[in-house]
């Protein structure tokens, strides 16, 4: 439930009573995946919803290590990687490369824009490459800078609508709108007027970067501006997305 989002920032115990340094909290795992999209079984078939979950995993200051999943699509639970179908009758197969002859990863499913993932991709036996989707590379940098910082402020006035934000330390800010749109025509949550208390400046939303490769550090798909009083003067979060 959306109202439980703030509780995610207060996890202080390991799975099954293990010490936090030993506990492992899986977001997705291959062996118990479902054939079709299911909201209670996170897989690439969830599309934008699954991508938001892995973005939040990277943006939260909790945890010591994050292991990113990069997998493949399936139409049968016994399918192997692309090139290795469940219907293969021989004992060996040769998986297809993620890259084409130009070294580009166009064999991957593109970053999803809807939930669940459209059938043409959800039922495609190709590399999913979830770790390459938009925002992941930027959020790795964000996590390196903000991991382990104490959450000093939470914004949950509209949490029942899936809108939730928090500040970790004095410079790290995250805002998300959990209610994932069922299509790509999503709305925006304006952050203007929110007092987040970070230093004045123009910030790049690292979760909006398609890639870090060749990035000049100046241009940015989504930006937030903050004045000298720590008030957001411009910036927004897309429905079903996350800003950091």
């Amino acid at each position: 439930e959306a109202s439980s989002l703030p509780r995610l920032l207060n996890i202080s115990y390991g799975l099954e009573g293990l010490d936090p340094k030993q506990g492992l909290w899986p977001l997705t795992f291959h062996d118990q995946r479902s054939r079709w999209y299911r909201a209670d079984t996170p897989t690439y078939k969830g599309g934008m919803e699954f991508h938001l979950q892995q973005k939040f995993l990277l943006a939260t200051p909790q945890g010591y290590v994050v292991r990113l999943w990069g997998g493949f699509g399936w139409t049968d639970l016994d399918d192997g990687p692309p090139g290795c179908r469940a219907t293969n009758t021989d004992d060996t197969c040769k998986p297809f490369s993620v890259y084409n002859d130009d070294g580009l990863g166009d064999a991957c499913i593109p970053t999803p824009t809807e939930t669940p993932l459209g059938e043409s991709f959800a039922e495609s036996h190709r590399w999913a490459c979830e770790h390459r989707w938009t925002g992941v590379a930027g959020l790795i940098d964000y996590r390196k800078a903000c991991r382990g910082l104490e959450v000093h402020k939470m914004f949950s006035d509209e949490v029942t609508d899936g809108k939730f934000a928090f500040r970790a330390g004095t410079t790290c800010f995250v805002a998300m709108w959990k209610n994932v749109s069922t299509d790509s025509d999503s709305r925006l949550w304006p952050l203007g007027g929110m007092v987040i208390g970070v230093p004045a400046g123009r910030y790049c939303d690292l979760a909006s970067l398609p890639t870090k490769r060749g990035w000049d550090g100046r241009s940015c798909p989504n930006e937030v501006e903050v004045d000298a009083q720590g008030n957001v003067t411009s910036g927004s979060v897309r429905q079903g997305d996350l800003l950091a």
Side-chain angles (χ1 to χ4, degrees):
E1 293 183 4
S3 60
S4 299
L5 283 172
R7 295 172 54 193
L8 293 175
L9 299 178
N10 296 312
I11 296 175
S12 59
Y13 51 89
L15 189 62
E16 300 296 338
L18 293 175
D19 181 271
K21 292 183 180 180
Q22 297 176 315
L24 180 65
W25 289 92
L27 170 61
T28 185
F29 35 92
H30 186 76
D31 290 345
Q32 295 186 31
R33 66 197 189 282
S34 56
R35 169 65 182 85
W36 310 101
Y37 162 70
R38 286 181 50 178
D40 61 349
T41 307
T43 70
Y44 79 99
K45 292 178 186 282
M48 197 172 178
E49 179 182 75
F50 176 77
H51 191 28
L52 177 61
Q53 292 168 332
Q54 70 169 356
K55 279 185 170 183
F56 183 81
L57 183 69
L58 287 167
T60 177
Q62 297 284 9
Y64 294 87
V65 176
V66 171
R67 296 175 180 174
L68 290 175
W69 174 267
F72 55 84
W74 61 83
T75 57
D76 187 295
L77 293 181
D78 290 327
D79 279 342
C84 301
R85 286 278 189 184
T87 54
N88 290 141
T89 57
D90 56 356
D91 294 332
T92 61
C93 62
K94 184 178 181 180
F96 299 147
S97 173
V98 176
Y99 299 95
N100 60 20
D101 293 338
D102 296 324
L104 301 176
D106 64 350
C108 297
I109 292 175
T111 302
T113 58
E114 59 183 346
T115 295
L117 192 65
E119 185 176 356
S120 61
F121 290 126
E123 294 297 292
S124 175
H125 188 218
R126 60 189 291 186
W127 295 105
C129 308
E130 299 95 327
H131 62 300
R132 294 178 180 269
W133 289 351
T134 293
V136 172
L139 282 170
I140 289 174
D141 277 358
Y142 176 90
R143 183 166 181 81
K144 288 178 179 178
C146 305
R147 176 181 55 195
L149 295 179
E150 183 180 352
V151 174
H152 290 292
K153 195 168 186 178
M154 289 191 287
F155 306 83
S156 55
D157 290 346
E158 299 180 80
V159 72
T160 54
D161 190 33
K163 299 173 182 175
F164 177 59
F166 64 89
R167 192 191 80 215
T170 59
T171 58
C172 299
F173 176 73
V174 173
M176 64 178 289
W177 190 355
K178 181 181 180 293
N179 287 353
V180 177
S181 175
T182 55
D183 55 52
S184 57
D185 185 21
S186 54
R187 298 173 291 161
L188 296 176
W189 173 24
L191 301 177
M194 186 179 288
V195 184
I196 64 176
V198 302
R202 173 172 157 257
Y203 293 85
C204 176
D205 169 19
L206 294 176
S208 70
L209 293 177
T211 180
K212 286 289 300 299
R213 182 180 297 177
W215 184 48
D216 60 8
R218 301 187 182 209
S219 58
C220 186
N222 190 33
E223 298 181 350
V224 174
E225 293 189 10
V226 181
D227 66 18
Q229 287 71 48
N231 304 305
V232 176
T233 57
S234 67
S236 60
V237 182
R238 189 164 56 114
Q239 184 180 14
D241 210 348
L242 176 147
L243 169 151

